[in-house]
Amino acid sequence: MDPNPSMEEFSVSTLLESYAAGGWFRAADEGQPLLDAATGEEVARISSCGLDLAAMVGHARETGGPALRSLTFHERASALKALAKHLLAGKDEFYALSVRTGATVRDTAVDVDGGIGTLFSFASKGTRELPNDTIVLDGALERLGKTGAFVGQHIYTSRPGVAVQINAFNFPVWGMLEKLAPAFLAGLPTIVKPASQTAYLTELVVRRIIESGLLPEGSLQLISGSAGSLLDELTMQDSVAFTGSAHTAGILRRHPNVIDGGVRLGVEADSLNCSVLGPDVKAEDPEFELFIKGVVAEMTVKAGQKCTAIRRVIVPSRIAGEVEDALAARLAKISVGDPRNPDVRMGALASLGQRDEVRKAVSSLLASAEVVAGDLNGGPLLDGDTERGAFLTPLLLRAAKGAVEPHNVEPFGPVSTVITYDGIDEAVALAARGKGSLVASVVTHDADVARSVVLGLAPWHGRVLLLDRDDAKESTGHGSPLPMLVHGGPGRAGGGEELGGIRAVLHHMQRTAVQASPDLLTAVTGQWTTGATQRVEDVHPFRKSLADLRIGDTIKSAERTVTLADIEHFAEFTGDTFYAHTDAEAAARNPLFGGIVAHGYLVVSLAAGLFVEPSPGPVLANYGVDNLRFLTPVKADDTIAVTLTVKQIKPRNSADYGEVRWDAVVTNQEGSPVATYDVLTLVAKTWPSES
């Protein structure tokens, strides 16, 4: 296959290829045809017949994994950012091909731009929230002995395994990239198996990624076609992230390597998501219109083929008629047809087979519901052929009181069912009958309603959106998973969890408790540990550039007596005249102080004066203080000193300086800790500056 196929080249003769063990593989057979969702024309063919799955897994473990794990988190993040920019610059060809999946321009933006945006988000978080290292510290240091000579620390390290992703047909780009980004940051190579219906778009994106050379070889491979016996090749260090039906998830869960072999399986499956209209909302309220718009959007974006789409519309009985009328009126304005027509607002389902599945589900729902709006057999199209294209107009149903089917049957298309309730408790109970969902939304402007419903829904949902007039302008909507928030849900939704910022990265890593002496723990973690060796040298650490600083470099300051005049001046100068600093009689009655005490911030300020080296040098700025705690009150005529130790050094790949975290301990004349905190500074990589 030409490494740079144009859109015209995706014709009957095109057989999708797999990227395996460092090269593109074409199956020897003709493959199965993949059809244009709107026209029924053949787009490509797909087959993985003859693909060496064992070689793919071996290549990931032996080439991709070591290459990734040799990079720091910041270097991996830089690669993701470069990849995001590369894909963004070339997204027009992804849009041109995406239309063949039945997607409108708006649908494609959710998939393509959403996927690229996820890469950008994880690249940013990797740089800002992870160290420029290959391990992550989890939680605080635990002191395990009386003297501090024996301590414990939890750490995360990369697994020497493979991350397999098996994706659904509805998001051929986002579905791949949202799983790739956290696995890549975690140091795990990825093998992607997209759903066949829309795999031609995934294959094109992977082809452009491989061509770019931006990712280490072996860090990304692609299976175009059946995954066959792939799970047979996996072991305890490997993981599988699956998005699809509960039926297929059940098959995967019963695989011997999942049951007994230690392969970790994450599942995102069926989800009967709901949107609840609060009992406080009236037809004339802004929240009513927000609710109507939200339901219609979730029914029609991607033709309702979203795992987060609203399937159940839960509304107060008193206003149900008005809700149905408003939804029907807005749905009547949705033009359905070939997404190549710019006037079409909802395109086709992914395939004729998928349309049949939706119709089958609707038939089950109609056992206890009736049609409010739409036509199960077709309805008018703005453009397109209902025989060749997988078109289905939006369908709004009304469930009978006590209906069971809406809580058990998911129509994976443009279908929603109105269900009524007569009290908050009933609304929560109805939502819970979905047996676990990815997302619920609650549209209300009443604070008490919001708290009651959210606390009721939370145990059954992975995400809850509260929508009202105040957040509507900035809300990303009911159905949009965000990179920084978890995506997944309990029960029917699969019990898995993806995204969620750095949580998704750590999910791929191994957490281990390390017990050691402070010096050995410092050597392992690359971060100074309380009780470890401190080096006090003639050269003040503030005179050292990043190139010269070492973990454990320390300043032990001179002493400073805090006088009553200091306390009075600070109170007058800052305006902080709290009685404990200014009223001797009142302060004496305070059971914590028993007299005038210095302001905590005066102590910190004086400590800075004790450790700072004032001349121009490599320390460029102090940009913050973390974990500040005041432990012992400082009274007039107490003497303080400070010990400042280099705790962590984080060079920035994108700048000529880096971050240095200093451990600060302020003590009094008795040696008792007065204040502890981390000082955060920016320090030049070299000094004098080479720029």
Side-chain angles (χ1 to χ4, degrees):
M1 177 181 280
D2 186 329
N4 296 284
S6 66
M7 293 306 96
E8 291 75 15
E9 290 177 286
F10 278 87
S11 62
V12 175
S13 63
T14 299
L15 180 64
L16 299 183
E17 294 182 334
S18 298
Y19 187 72
W24 287 97
F25 169 84
R26 181 193 291 264
D29 63 345
E30 294 183 354
Q32 297 297 313
L34 305 176
L35 306 182
D36 186 302
T39 67
E41 298 172 349
E42 189 169 302
V43 180
R45 288 177 172 263
I46 190 167
S47 173
S48 61
C49 182
L51 182 61
D52 190 339
L53 299 172
M56 293 184 72
V57 173
H59 187 63
R61 289 198 184 117
E62 297 161 16
T63 301
L68 271 178
R69 293 192 295 275
S70 70
L71 304 176
T72 68
F73 292 113
H74 288 195
E75 289 169 331
R76 297 170 203 166
S78 294
L80 287 180
K81 183 176 181 179
L83 177 60
K85 289 181 177 179
H86 178 75
L87 295 179
L88 187 63
K91 72 174 184 177
D92 287 351
E93 69 171 330
F94 306 148
Y95 269 70
L97 187 56
S98 177
V99 72
R100 310 205 72 171
T101 71
T104 64
V105 170
R106 178 178 68 163
D107 297 336
T108 299
V110 175
D111 185 28
V112 173
D113 294 82
I116 296 171
T118 299
L119 289 181
F120 275 120
S121 179
F122 274 96
S124 175
K125 282 188 166 290
T127 301
R128 291 185 292 107
E129 299 180 30
L130 292 173
N132 196 9
D133 200 343
T134 57
I135 68 170
V136 180
L137 273 59
D138 177 45
L141 181 74
E142 298 289 345
R143 184 167 171 166
L144 305 177
K146 291 182 178 180
T147 67
F150 185 48
V151 293
Q153 174 71 60
H154 291 91
I155 65 171
Y156 282 100
T157 57
S158 295
R159 297 171 180 264
V162 183
V164 173
Q165 50 170 275
I166 304 174
N167 294 327
F169 63 82
N170 52 336
F171 287 103
V173 180
W174 177 84
M176 172 180 65
L177 297 181
E178 65 94 5
K179 292 182 176 72
L180 171 66
F184 187 90
L185 273 180
L188 274 178
T190 292
I191 296 175
V192 180
K193 194 285 175 195
S196 292
Q197 295 102 307
T198 55
Y200 47 85
L201 182 51
T202 308
E203 195 249 33
L204 177 62
V205 175
V206 171
R207 191 171 290 276
R208 297 298 178 251
I209 293 173
I210 299 302
E211 290 168 5
S212 75
L214 293 169
L215 304 188
E217 173 53 46
S219 62
L220 175 62
Q221 297 180 84
L222 171 71
I223 298 174
S224 293
S226 170
S229 60
L230 178 61
L231 265 67
D232 294 346
E233 307 298 332
L234 304 183
T235 62
M236 64 164 292
Q237 291 293 344
D238 305 322
S239 62
V240 177
F242 170 76
T243 300
S245 70
H247 173 74
T248 304
I251 295 173
L252 295 175
R253 285 190 171 110
R254 291 189 291 274
H255 191 281
N257 283 351
V258 174
I259 295 174
D260 299 317
V263 173
R264 297 191 302 163
L265 174 65
V267 172
E268 181 203 313
D270 305 345
S271 183
L272 291 165
N273 311 295
C274 67
S275 186
V276 180
L277 182 63
D280 56 298
V281 179
K282 300 182 288 293
E284 61 271 20
D285 290 340
E287 285 71 28
F288 184 87
E289 182 67 10
L290 292 172
F291 183 79
I292 300 302
K293 287 182 177 179
V295 172
V296 171
E298 293 305 318
M299 290 180 66
T300 57
V301 172
K302 296 286 288 186
Q305 299 170 114
K306 293 170 57 183
C307 55
T308 54
I310 295 170
R311 309 299 180 197
R312 298 177 297 157
V313 183
I314 301 176
V315 302
S317 297
R318 62 170 178 78
I319 204 172
E322 292 168 276
V323 169
E324 291 173 357
D325 290 345
L327 287 173
R330 186 172 284 272
L331 287 171
K333 299 177 182 178
I334 300 297
S335 53
V336 180
D338 191 326
R340 295 167 180 80
N341 186 328
D343 294 325
V344 165
R345 292 186 59 192
M346 191 181 92
L349 277 73
S351 67
L352 292 172
Q354 180 59 27
R355 184 176 67 180
D356 291 342
E357 288 296 317
V358 174
R359 285 175 169 170
K360 180 180 177 181
V362 171
S363 295
S364 297
L365 290 170
L366 289 175
S368 60
E370 57 185 323
V371 176
V372 173
D375 185 347
L376 180 59
N377 296 316
L381 298 181
L382 182 65
D383 187 5
D385 182 344
T386 56
E387 296 300 319
R388 292 175 58 83
F391 299 108
L392 183 67
T393 55
L395 282 167
L396 181 67
L397 309 180
R398 177 196 304 122
K401 202 72 172 176
V404 173
E405 287 79 6
H407 308 296
N408 292 318
V409 178
E410 181 187 17
F412 202 73
V415 183
S416 290
T417 302
V418 175
I419 305 169
T420 60
Y421 73 88
D422 294 307
I424 289 178
D425 289 345
E426 185 182 8
V428 169
L430 287 168
R433 289 182 67 184
K435 301 180 184 68
S437 301
L438 296 173
V439 57
S441 53
V442 183
V443 183
T444 179
H445 196 54
D446 185 297
D448 292 333
V449 169
R451 177 177 171 82
S452 295
V453 177
V454 168
L455 294 185
L457 296 182
W460 303 92
H461 295 82
R463 176 168 60 89
V464 178
L465 165 69
L466 282 173
L467 185 65
D468 71 352
R469 67 196 71 177
D470 294 335
D471 66 358
K473 288 185 178 180
E474 295 187 1
S475 172
T476 50
H478 168 104
S480 298
L482 299 175
M484 61 289 295
L485 300 180
V486 294
H487 176 56
R492 184 197 300 271
E497 186 175 288
E498 298 173 349
L499 302 177
I502 298 304
R503 296 175 188 84
V505 179
L506 300 180
H507 175 76
H508 285 288
M509 304 182 75
Q510 177 63 45
R511 181 166 54 188
T512 303
V514 179
Q515 299 165 278
S517 68
D519 279 327
L520 289 183
L521 189 60
T522 295
V524 170
T525 64
Q527 178 171 305
W528 184 81
T529 302
T530 300
T533 300
Q534 296 170 302
R535 288 184 303 277
V536 179
E537 300 176 343
D538 293 337
V539 178
H540 193 291
F542 275 31
R543 305 305 302 167
K544 295 182 179 182
S545 69
L546 227 57
D548 298 321
L549 269 177
R550 296 292 180 268
I551 299 295
D553 283 355
T554 299
I555 306 162
K556 290 186 179 289
S557 79
E559 296 180 342
R560 162 73 186 256
T561 299
V562 182
T563 66
L564 183 60
D566 291 330
I567 299 171
E568 292 173 344
H569 173 71
F570 193 82
E572 180 182 0
F573 181 72
T574 63
D576 181 356
T577 56
F578 184 64
Y579 76 88
H581 313 305
T582 57
D583 186 330
E585 291 185 6
R589 292 192 296 270
N590 186 310
L592 299 178
F593 302 139
I596 293 288
V597 296
H599 308 69
Y601 296 110
L602 169 59
V603 173
V604 172
S605 298
L606 293 176
L610 290 172
F611 67 66
V612 163
E613 206 289 331
S615 304
V619 176
L620 306 177
N622 176 338
Y623 71 94
V625 170
D626 278 352
N627 309 315
L628 174 61
R629 294 293 183 271
F630 299 117
L631 305 176
T632 305
V634 174
K635 297 185 177 181
D637 297 326
D638 278 357
T639 298
I640 63 170
V642 59
T643 300
L644 192 74
T645 304
V646 176
K647 187 175 186 177
Q648 186 180 39
I649 300 173
K650 294 173 59 178
R652 290 189 179 180
N653 294 332
S654 59
D656 57 2
Y657 56 84
E659 303 165 24
V660 177
R661 178 180 292 265
W662 307 74
D663 180 84
V665 179
V666 183
T667 53
N668 62 18
Q669 66 276 7
E670 297 174 354
S672 299
V674 166
T676 59
Y677 49 100
D678 289 353
V679 178
L680 311 178
T681 62
L682 299 178
V683 178
K685 290 181 177 178
T686 59
W687 190 263
S689 175
E690 295 177 352
S691 60

